Amino acid sequence: MLDDGQTLPEPFTKKDIVLKNKRYYSTNFVVLLKFSLAQDALNVLGLALSTSIRPEVREFYKTCLTKTADLVDMCLKLKVKLGLHQPLIYLPENQKVDKINKQEFLGNFFGRNRNLTTSEVLQLTNNYRAIEVTREVCRSFSRSMNTELKAHYERGIEMCKDHLESIKSKLDKDELPQLPTWESEIDTEGGAPFSEQVDAIQNSKFNECCCGPLRSLCFFHIP
């Protein structure tokens, strides 16, 4: 129940859709966007489930996890069908066990360079794909007529670009395949597709979900 003086937020309506009767995002990008959000939602929901005490709340999160896992599965099947899972990265199988016995394994932070490990390649590629989707979302919102919002989204685009270049340089050094970008999947002609209010809310929610992959980079040092 609402306390005295509290008001409900004003809901969005069809008036908040600026570019009506126009396909702004391609089917490919919608699949990529849904997969990225669902992938990160699994992490958030898993944390919520493991930290909840009340049985009915845990049951709620279990249901959410099941439905989100189904969505991830559906998106993965669509990605494969549309060829969006390419390129596949194949790493050579080690023929011998290489144990870590010196700090120099961490790379040039302490000493010598080394090739990326499988887990590092996985983290880097996942981060690259999530950041690229984020960049394209910011790029689509940057068509706003509000100069302050436009500058905000353009700054986000540049930040994403810097992250992408950094990850790309790590992968290139190990001669790994280049990962695609998705500029062609968004029609940025004209203005922004939604109202400024929708842009701001959606961008905020999207960043809350997709900041998870970026945090994973903090767990290891990559030379």
Side-chain angles (χ1 to χ4, degrees):
M1 296 180 63
L2 294 176
D3 296 331
D4 292 339
Q6 286 185 313
T7 58
L8 289 171
E10 184 178 346
F12 296 124
T13 66
K14 292 182 178 180
K15 294 181 180 179
D16 290 294
I17 302 176
V18 178
L19 298 181
K20 298 179 180 179
N21 302 321
K22 184 176 181 180
R23 191 174 184 179
Y24 197 81
Y25 301 104
S26 70
T27 299
N28 287 350
F29 189 77
V30 171
V31 172
L32 292 167
L33 178 59
K34 286 183 178 293
F35 175 74
S36 184
L37 291 172
Q39 191 178 39
D40 290 297
L42 286 177
N43 295 328
V44 176
L45 292 170
L47 177 62
L49 174 63
S50 63
T51 54
S52 298
I53 303 299
R54 294 171 63 97
E56 66 274 20
V57 174
R58 292 201 305 274
E59 286 300 319
F60 169 74
Y61 285 124
K62 285 180 183 178
T63 301
C64 292
L65 272 170
T66 300
K67 292 183 179 296
T68 305
D70 290 341
L71 178 59
V72 169
D73 188 52
M74 292 170 59
C75 290
L76 275 172
K77 290 178 180 178
L78 284 172
K79 285 182 67 177
V80 173
K81 183 178 180 179
L82 296 170
L84 301 176
H85 64 300
Q86 301 288 353
L88 297 177
I89 297 179
Y90 297 95
L91 299 176
E93 182 180 355
N94 290 332
Q95 300 300 319
K96 63 178 182 178
V97 176
D98 186 12
K99 295 183 178 180
I100 301 173
N101 50 33
K102 294 182 180 180
Q103 286 181 327
E104 66 178 10
F105 176 80
L106 292 175
N108 59 11
F109 188 76
F110 286 106
R112 68 179 178 85
N113 289 319
R114 60 168 175 79
N115 292 333
L116 295 170
T117 65
T118 302
S119 61
E120 289 170 347
V121 172
L122 174 64
Q123 294 284 5
L124 285 172
T125 53
N126 281 343
N127 281 325
Y128 186 98
R129 292 185 172 108
I131 294 168
E132 170 56 15
V133 171
T134 303
R135 182 176 75 121
E136 296 309 322
V137 170
C138 288
R139 197 165 67 88
S140 69
F141 290 168
S142 68
R143 309 303 296 178
S144 172
M145 300 302 293
N146 184 308
T147 55
E148 185 177 356
L149 284 177
K150 184 179 179 67
H152 172 73
Y153 294 130
E154 288 178 345
R155 179 171 177 268
I157 294 171
E158 290 303 314
M159 292 174 65
C160 289
K161 182 180 177 181
D162 290 341
H163 281 297
L164 293 174
E165 289 296 329
S166 177
I167 294 174
K168 183 177 180 296
S169 67
K170 306 297 182 186
L171 298 176
D172 287 346
K173 190 172 70 172
D174 279 19
E175 299 182 349
L176 295 172
Q178 293 187 4
L179 300 176
T181 55
W182 306 109
E183 295 94 338
S184 61
E185 304 298 334
I186 294 179
D187 182 3
T188 55
E189 294 296 326
F194 309 111
S195 67
E196 295 174 0
Q197 291 79 7
V198 171
D199 286 354
I201 290 294
Q202 293 299 330
N203 191 59
S204 174
K205 295 299 182 183
F206 185 81
N207 287 330
E208 287 175 7
C209 290
C210 289
C211 67
L214 291 174
R215 289 198 299 268
S216 63
L217 280 176
C218 299
F219 289 111
F220 52 79
H221 170 75
I222 301 174

